Amino acid sequence: MSGGRGNSVYVELAPLAAHRALLDHLFILVDDGTLTAPGRHRFATPFSEIRYLRRPDDDPPWQASWSRPVAAARPRQRALAGMVVGFRAHAQPSPGALPELGPIGIEGSLDAVVHALDALAADLCPRLGGAPAMAAVSQRTLRRRFDASVGLGPKAWQALHRFRGALLDLARSPASLADTAQARGYADQSHMSADFQRRAGTSPGRFAARSRAEAGGDVGRFFQDPALRQRVHTLVST
């Protein structure tokens, strides 16, 4: 990344239309250890995560891995100095190796990274499981199929999506905590606060304040292509 910018950036982008049925978003993290400092938390998520990690001087350059949805926050034990890119998906990958991510020119803007991820998504999506069949099955069978496909049961999936929606609202909107809790289906603000403490490791108010302080502002600092700028829905930087 070129000079004059912060040393760390995290960004989420909408996938291409052809991939939206299976992918919720693409993500890019370039960090010098600030955004992933020990004591900060990895948030709960309803998505399976397919990620490619690159640290300075890594050989091979990208290490691929994936993880199931996560129900509770996890405190970070050590900072990351490097780059992580990938996808958060509605379904788990089928058994077998993940597609490889080839060399990417990462100097300057992040446009090339997104183009490489878009191309990789065409190879990845056929390896993701489809949605579980919903009709004419018992609740027990439905839960089993849901877990096999998505990685957690229907009720847990619904609760994590409620949390994810509140998380995004608080990061982007000036609405009050009470209004956010009501809009996202919590019984009241105190229930949302308890859910945040479990799933984000912090309170909704502290999360909202930090998110707005770290908001990246002008996406043009990171993306040259106007079409890519339109796909950005979350960006924080230091």
Side-chain angles (χ1 to χ4, degrees), residues 142-221:
L142 175 59
R143 286 195 298 270
R144 186 171 63 250
R145 290 182 180 178
F146 211 94
D147 185 80
S149 174
V150 177
L152 70 172
K155 289 186 178 179
W157 178 88
Q158 185 178 40
L160 282 168
H161 270 279
R162 179 181 63 179
F163 163 72
R164 166 78 177 175
L167 193 80
L168 295 177
D169 287 350
L170 291 171
R172 303 170 184 170
S173 169
S176 70
L177 298 183
D179 287 345
T180 300
Q182 182 179 36
R184 286 297 172 178
Y186 287 96
D188 52 37
Q189 182 179 329
S190 66
H191 281 81
M192 183 178 74
S193 295
D195 198 40
F196 255 73
Q197 198 63 51
R198 178 190 176 200
R199 303 189 193 278
T202 189
S203 70
R206 288 177 181 173
F207 168 77
R210 190 179 73 191
S211 295
R212 291 161 193 168
E214 293 178 343
D218 181 13
V219 297
R221 293 189 301 153

Side-chain angles (χ1 to χ4, degrees), residues 2 9 41 44 49 84 94 97 118 123 141 153-154 173 197-198 207:
S2 61
V9 60
H41 287 75
E49 183 175 289
V84 183
S94 57
D118 286 341
D123 192 7
T141 298
S173 169
Q197 198 63 51
R198 178 190 176 200
F207 168 77

